Amino acid sequence: MALEKIKVELPTDEYYEAEVKCRNSCPVSTDARGYLMATVAGKYEEAYAISRATNPFASICGKVCGAPCEKGCRRSDVDEAVVIRNIKGFLTDKHGPETGDLKTPLTYSIAPGSVEPELNGKSVGIIGGGCAGYTCAHDLARLGYSVTIYERWEKSGGQLVQGVPVNRLSRKVVADELASIELFENIEVKNGVDVGVDITFQELEERHDAVFIAVGLARGKKIPLPGADHEDVHIGLSFLFDFNMREKWDLTKHRSIVIGGGDVAFDVARSALRCGSPDVQLACLEREHMNEMTGSLEEREGGRREGVTINDGWGPREIVIENGKVKGLLVSKVIRVFDEDGKFSPQLEDETRLIEGEKVFFAVGQGSDLAFLENSGVEMTPQGWVKVENEETLQTSKPNVFVGGDIAHGPKLFIDAVASGSRAAQGIHSYITGQAPQSLKRKITFTDLPEYGRDSVYVDDGREEREELPVKPAEQPEFNSTVEYPDEKAKEQAGRCLECHIHPTFEGDICILCGGCVDVCPSYCLSMKTVDRVDGGEALKTLATMEFGSMEVAEAEGSVMLFDPLKCIRCGMCAQKCPTGACKMSVNEFEDCFA
Ligand SMILES: Cc1cc2nc3c(=O)[nH]c(=O)nc-3n(C[C@H](O)[C@H](O)[C@H](O)COP(=O)(O)OP(=O)(O)OC[C@H]3O[C@@H](n4cnc5c(N)ncnc54)[C@H](O)[C@@H]3O)c2cc1C
Ligand code: SF4
Ligand code: SF4
């Protein structure tokens, strides 16, 4: 019986680019690999510059980004992902605007334009002073636009100051990063201006050549349960707003119940502890052991450590009110959360139990407040968000109006809002000038590394987060939860990077098929096969025909080297072992630029 052929892929430029998964998973395509390598070399400023190149919020990112780069990181195929976010935090502590130098970080941007732009006579109005609004302002300012940000509150920063609890993110870092962007003389920030109340949307359209809507999703929601209207039943986001922007609530006499299982629910629960609540219970439909909860592992572990009780797999039925007071939340065990098609369709058992508490907080989703768009002609989605007409430019149904951040794509990570702020800036520039919008492109060059070698024991180093200080939540009002890495620790942790831009390559003409590289590889990622054993589609057929004259001859006489990039640890032993130099380690140098 004929053996089934092994499916193979022939490497192309796109393949090599996709291999650097940290960069490919980052919404702003930050070259994490690049700054990790520079950190290992002790070139911290160069490393910081790489982290800041496509991201005006690198410092905040180093503290609270949801780190999609780490979720993509290939090191997790070996053991655990590199602590990419912590390394960025280490670098921004040394060179970000929080050092007091607001100007230098601005110079590291590679967004089109200049840090000292010439004004082009055009103006853009931005509604919302969150990270989407400020990123768009930053990128437009570089292109010479006069930009005005209209922000409802006296303090800019959006959910980074209103929602993210103050103990998780230093407000000094936020203020410094915003102040750095505000150094552009062609950016004006009008705080305390509520669009729709203090100025109409139509007035903004008249004042500016284009308008960017970046108002986020600041409205919380309640589920219409019996008892939900009671005065001790709150919206989690409003509680967080007070916690961060006004005064902390006194919850010392109230046991708290939080409904919801996402990151915001954990922020509410952990902040309730910091307001002195003697008991905090979190209840959600999603089951942790089935990976249904959306709250990150970090939040779940942190919540548990601080004393939050997680009631996962329990659906809320009623808020029980007795003698006019909240007695608790009636819940039932979940039978299922999603139906066979993966659609949200929860089913609960009939039996109930009471989670006792005197305060209930809803953290079950975010909504918008777009009353100012009434009669504006801008179309909405069924969810009540602004409809994006062109995903590439973020233009709405009105050509002069653009939208970005949470209000365009729903609640996501803050770095997604940063990415859309940049995209909208390019879209607006394209709309006003008629030029095609630019996006980040990589130029790839290949160089052989004859001296390359890396002791494979580096794969024994384990992932180490920045240590958390032991905390009693009620005593931790300010940001102080992590200990800085010493330089050596940062280098060691950055050195866990597998350097996914380096690859073994093989030159068939001088290979003597000795198999030395296959034998020496500690990760068993090389194997040699005859051509008839593999299926490489049309690409392989074309190559084989070029080399052997026909596929039939190639199948009878030819060999291929198979390489499993998931297992390769880039030790270089294959190249060192090769007696003819057919196997080499090659580096793909990437140059990022907008084109
Ligand atoms: C509690 C909480 C915790 C979070 N934690 C994290 C985290 O740890 N990591 C992470 O990556 N992401 C986190 N996020 C998500 C992240 O904060 C958001 O994705 C991001 O802030 C969205 O940015 P934005 O600019 O679209 O909107 P926002 O940050 O919401 O900014 C919108 C701004 O518009 C202003 N505005 C609204 N209406 C008007 C108006 N009519 N006139 C003038 N101004 C107006 C608002 O006041 C606000 O300042 C969290 C979100 C929340 C709610
Ligand atoms: S191992 Fe290094 S280069 Fe590869 S994905 Fe992780 S951080 Fe990026
Ligand atoms: S570099 Fe070569 S020897 Fe080392 S793991 Fe990769 S393929 Fe194997």
Side-chain angles (χ1 to χ4, degrees), residues 393-406:
T393 61
L394 297 181
Q395 197 166 35
T396 68
S397 53
K398 272 192 118 174
N400 61 325
V401 181
F402 294 75
V403 63
D406 280 1

Side-chain angles (χ1 to χ4, degrees), residues 27 41 51 60 106 123 140 148 155 190 247 274 289 295 300 337 368 390 449 454 488 512 531 547 549 555:
S51 77
I60 293 168
L106 281 182
S123 86
L140 286 172
T148 310
K155 215 188 259 182
K190 289 186 184 286
E247 249 180 69
R274 286 170 171 77
H289 69 279
R300 296 194 316 259
V337 182
S368 58
N390 180 331
L449 296 171
R454 201 171 176 190
E488 284 318 308
I512 55 170
V531 174
E547 294 288 326
E555 286 192 333

Side-chain angles (χ1 to χ4, degrees), residues 63-67 85 126-134 150-153 155-165 168 190 193-197 214-218 237 240-241 244 263-265 267-268 299 366 369 372 404-418 420:
K63 307 293 184 275
V64 295
C65 182
R85 186 186 67 194
I126 294 180
I127 313 174
C131 48
Y134 266 73
Y150 301 88
E151 166 55 46
R152 173 184 280 163
W153 300 105
K155 215 188 259 182
S156 297
Q159 289 302 337
L160 298 173
V161 294
Q162 299 165 19
V164 180
R168 276 211 296 121
K190 289 186 184 286
V193 178
D194 194 339
V195 175
V197 176
V215 293
L217 293 169
L237 279 182
L240 283 176
F241 186 92
N244 290 314
D263 285 339
V264 175
D267 278 341
V268 173
E299 285 281 13
Q366 291 170 246
D369 175 9
F372 63 83
D406 280 1
I407 192 65
H409 50 51
K412 279 190 168 184
L413 297 178
F414 107 94
I415 194 66
D416 290 294
V418 170
S420 74

Side-chain angles (χ1 to χ4, degrees), residues 504 521-523 525-526 563 568-574 585:
C521 174
S523 302
C525 51
L526 297 174
F563 167 64
C568 178
I569 56 167
R570 275 69 182 179
C571 62
M573 285 168 73
C574 47
M585 295 304 282

Side-chain angles (χ1 to χ4, degrees), residues 471-516:
V471 289
K472 283 190 187 153
E475 292 169 11
Q476 195 209 4
E478 293 302 327
F479 176 82
N480 63 348
S481 59
T482 50
V483 180
E484 303 309 304
Y485 277 141
D487 287 16
E488 284 318 308
K489 176 63 67 189
K491 284 184 183 175
E492 179 194 299
Q493 285 296 308
R496 292 182 67 245
C497 170
L498 296 175
E499 301 189 70
C500 300
H501 62 309
I502 293 176
H503 304 265
T505 53
F506 299 89
E507 207 174 317
D509 292 347
I510 52 173
C511 174
I512 55 170
L513 305 180
C514 69

